Amino acid sequence: MTAPQAASRVLLDGAGPDHDAHLARYGVCPRPRLDHLLATLAHSGLVGRGGAGFPTAMKLRAVAAGSRKPVVVGNAMESEPLSSKDAVLLARNPHLVLDGLEILAQALHTRRTVLAVGPEVDPASAMAAAGTRGLQVVPLAGGFTAGQESALVNQLEGRLGVPRDPFTRVTERGVDGRPTLVLNAETLAQLALLVRYGAPWFRSVGTDDAPGRSLFTISGSVERPGVVEAAGGSRLVDVVAPAVPVRPAAVLVGGYHGGWVPASHLTVRLSAVDLAAFRTTVGAGVLHVLDDATCPVEFAADVTAYLAEESTGQCGPCLNGLPHLATNLRRLATGVRDPSLPSEIARMSALVTGRGACAHPDGSARFVASTLDVFRSHVAAHLDGYCPSSQRREAS
Amino acid sequence: MTARLHIDWTRCDGHGSCAELLPELLAVDDFGFPLSRDGERDPAVADRHRQAARHAVRSCPVMALRLYDAVG
Amino acid sequence: MSSTGMDEALWALGRGTGVVALVMFTVSLVLGIAARSGRPLPGLGRFGTSDLHRTAALTGAGLVALHVTSLLFDPYAQLRVVDFALPFLASYRPVWVGLGTLAVDVLLVVTAVSVLRQRVGPRVFRVVHWATYVLWPAALLHALGSGSDAGSSWFRVVAVVCVVAVVGALAWRLAPSYAGRGWTRHPRRTA
């Protein structure tokens, strides 16, 4: 099959649940051997598209090194509220995701292969596609942390979907005590394309440090919200342009655990290296546009209240620290003129970081820190007794 | 190889024996939970603290502590 | 020493170790509640409270082993080996002695699980540890019913002190102020 051209939408222009149409478009699902698969993945530089951005080849190698037959889990939990890329991908191109699972299943001789689907994802298309191929689609309970690897493993074992102590990685011991490979649905689709068309094809799009294509979910103050497909390392302004942003003040990159890029810097490239200056990563590709009439502090207060509620409550620092952050941000947002608020928020952000079983407190602290940093003058205005956004609202 | 103290946060209930036995390594935060003084997730345990660290592991009522050897 | 002298010595040892074991378990129970509270005891700290709780329990267990052994060889007690495993089969005061046997059985399980707690995990350890609330009353009732000192005034004093201590500790355990290990914080949700 001839490889698709650079400009085409390879991930989103799928054949839907019709397997014959899928085969006509992409050809038969390849069956590479493990060593060939590892080499292809390593050469491609594919990293996970679920948020953590971990090199897929490394994960696969870790799981393959185990002594027991492994388990492969496709992660379509879509736990990030601002993200809908996995739902859209599964609706439009379910067979590509399932191809990814099948490729891994036969290369690893897995004991069990499942696609885990969260409540925000309509499983119909995936189930219809999976049924014809004998693959298992499992709908699971949701929540912000439900898509975390070990939380997913817990749910698959019939337990409460809360994260485990990371001392033992799931790649070592996961579902039924077996080495478990958890990959995001988009990562699986990317893998399926990679194996067909090769690593050079994959790397022909994007940049050296952000090779290949990615899916992005654009939301917020835009005329046309939705999921787009763009080359890795593209400029933020170019990726959001088709969505037509309205009076953008800043863009939240990476979702509720991400960081802000102010309007003055929208030419930043969406790659880990370039985004590091804004203390965020691409994450799961969420790009949320904030307009200048929306108060960023109030937005942050709402988000942090949600994040506090989504704490599973296992770990003391997170369970107690996040509500503390949420309360203080709310005070700041509602105009409490306490000059110690920013430093107290910074102190609590540092206190919760690194002190939990998962990255929930760390990500939440990162988002809060970014808000206070990027919107420093806005915060100062609040402490002086006025909100620049509400002034703009009244003026218009 | 550095000896490190791992806290299982899914078990820790902020009892506080560990911080009492290893005051140079652990402080206590606003809510009673152990706080690593060296800023690392799993604080390094020097040889002179090893015995106290083992005592802390034994003393934790919910077995949230583990002493292990890490690379670096 | 004459055989009756030996018998009396064994009997005295049996009684003595039994009473002291009861006191040890009382101390252990009260210190266990103190340890669970997360509050430091003056001079001991939190870890000291845990250590002492454990030492008292193990001392009690050791004394029970002596108690059981001396009574096995004491002809006055008329106890067979089976009476130390299965309760209520003794010919001498079967119900009261049986409670002692029950207490020993529970003690064996609790001690084994406690020693192996790193292997069995915190959940199993905690559930089995609740059995100490069966162990202590069984031991007390056994002492009151089958012990030959039960009527004597000094033993009554000991028993009353033990009961007051445990009742007091239990009342504290059940009070709302006990929770949170002394900190103002959200209660954790354990999986």
Side-chain angles (χ1 to χ4, degrees), chain A residues 203-298:
Chain A
R203 293 191 74 91
S204 67
V205 165
T207 59
D208 271 347
D209 60 325
R213 295 172 166 75
S214 268
L215 294 180
F216 296 92
T217 312
I218 305 172
S219 60
S221 176
V222 295
E223 277 179 23
R224 291 206 288 272
V227 177
V228 301
E229 186 172 341
S234 299
R235 300 187 316 165
L236 172 56
V237 61
D238 296 329
V239 175
V240 297
V244 189
V246 176
R247 297 170 55 170
V251 179
L252 181 62
V253 176
Y256 289 166
H257 280 180
W260 297 99
V261 174
S264 51
H265 288 79
L266 294 185
T267 50
V268 69
R269 294 191 169 277
L270 290 170
S271 74
V273 171
D274 290 50
L275 287 171
F278 300 92
R279 280 184 286 170
T280 186
T281 63
V282 176
V286 167
L287 304 171
H288 183 84
V289 178
L290 191 82
D291 72 309
D292 60 8
T294 303
C295 175
V297 183
E298 197 183 316

Side-chain angles (χ1 to χ4, degrees), chain C residues 44-67:
Chain C
L44 281 176
R46 292 167 181 86
F47 74 89
T49 310
S50 297
D51 284 352
L52 207 55
H53 157 77
R54 218 163 278 158
T55 307
L58 287 171
T59 308
L63 286 167
V64 165
L66 264 175
H67 172 74

Side-chain angles (χ1 to χ4, degrees), chain A residues 76-136:
Chain A
M77 295 300 286
E78 197 102 84
S79 312
E80 171 72 62
L82 293 176
S83 175
S84 47
K85 71 174 177 75
D86 294 327
V88 168
L89 181 63
L90 271 185
R92 302 244 202 128
N93 215 337
H95 281 291
L96 203 59
V97 177
L98 296 174
D99 281 353
L101 280 176
E102 207 175 274
I103 289 166
L104 287 164
Q106 66 84 36
L108 286 168
H109 306 292
T110 55
R111 184 74 175 75
R112 198 178 159 196
T113 310
V114 296
L115 177 67
V117 172
E120 305 302 316
V121 178
D122 180 357
S125 181
M127 280 179 156
T132 65
R133 300 171 64 163
L135 288 170
Q136 201 192 6

